[in-house]
Amino acid sequence: MSDSQTTTESIALYNSDKSVDEQRAALTNGAVPVAVTGLGKMGLPLAAVYSETTKNVTGVDIDSSVVEAIENGDCHITGEPALADLVAELVDDGALTATTDGVEAARNARVHVVIVPTLVDENDQPILSVMDSAMSTIAEGLEPGDIVIAESTLPPRTCVDRLLPLLERESGLSREEFGLAFCPERTSSGRALEDIRGAYPKIVGGVDEESTRVAELIYGEINSNEIIPVSDATTAEAVKVFEGVYRDTNIGVANELALMTEELGIDVTEAIEAANTQPFCHLHIPGAGVGGHCIPYYPHFLMGPFETDTPVMRAARETNDEMPRYTANHALDGLHAEGVDPEDARVLVLGLTYRPGVNEIEKTPALPLIEELDAAGASVTAVDPVNTHTEPFEKAGATLVSMDELSTYDACVLVTPQAAFEELSIPALGDSDRRLVLVDGRQELKHLRGHDSIHYRGIGINV
């Protein structure tokens, strides 16, 4: 245990009687104990950055194997540069510990940070049960002067309408005795430490002015970039959701334009790239689908809980959800054009993770695409050197192989352009008796248009 963690008296920041300079000093010398609930792919990097700044963090997770690993100085998160070394160093220094006892961690902390999953259910309604559970645990140890910070993406008004009443009710404290702020994570897998430390401005918004002030003070030490205090917690919640909605609707427009490729008789991606040279145009690029833990979900945080009609968001979601099937049908149409019955076809899917270089498959477009090909009777093989998840794809109808097990195929569909595919000879994957149908789902293989042995069909690219 570090000297900072042996401090006998902890310092509260909310409604503190200390000067701002004294509060900053306390925050960075270990006198302000911090508990970070949720030690997943974003939670552990956040706990680590808090630890290197405050010298006194307890990470909380319900998974005992995760806690045991961290207590041993190990890192269960892969694909995050420098995270493993940082965790080992912080644990060795006593700046970071971990526990499954969230109540005890809450009792010892003055700053309570929550970063747990918030997805949607089968009816596209936000799932907030994990957040509720985390807040209930914190409430058992909440004391006057504490501040609670939610980093998980939430539907706007969650803090004021749901979390604040829960904390009041279950802690027995009054509204004025503790702080609550929403400070959304703005982090991407594979660059978490960089993002948390200050790749982007940090948004902070509290349920009252004092909560906002404390959140701004804390992240002024955590984040080297600009700290942007907004009017309230609901505005901060909206900022994060709006970011995802913008990207989803923008991609939806690009995908809808791609659907017009044949009728227009043009390369839509060429037109988009040229249009984007005008500074007021920022069209995204169409593709085989939208995956991940964020973009496919966040529009539902507005469409689900609120009565206002959102036809633009809904249409974008429907268009983007349709793209994997559209891409699969592109391959099937190509097979028909080459005189191959899909029931006799061997189709190779390149890339299964939802984005390159990240071993995550949440809402990956590869899954519905494989299901569509399998339903058409095709024999589907899939390869992805980054992916370690097998069961969902095998259930969908794919046979997973390694790069050195590739054979010859009638069609090939690029879903996720992993770096290893750059060394792959696509033409060599085809049968010498006919052209290989190549569906380029990410505009990465345009150089193969016109190749004698390739029937090229790109998303948004006229052939």
Side-chain angles (χ1 to χ4, degrees), residues 388-405:
T388 60
H389 309 273
T390 59
E391 185 177 358
F393 303 105
E394 291 173 345
K395 283 186 175 180
T399 299
L400 273 59
V401 299
S402 63
M403 293 282 284
D404 57 7
E405 294 176 306

Side-chain angles (χ1 to χ4, degrees), residues 9 69 90 123 125 153:
E9 182 181 356
L90 292 167
N123 297 315
Q125 296 299 308
T153 306

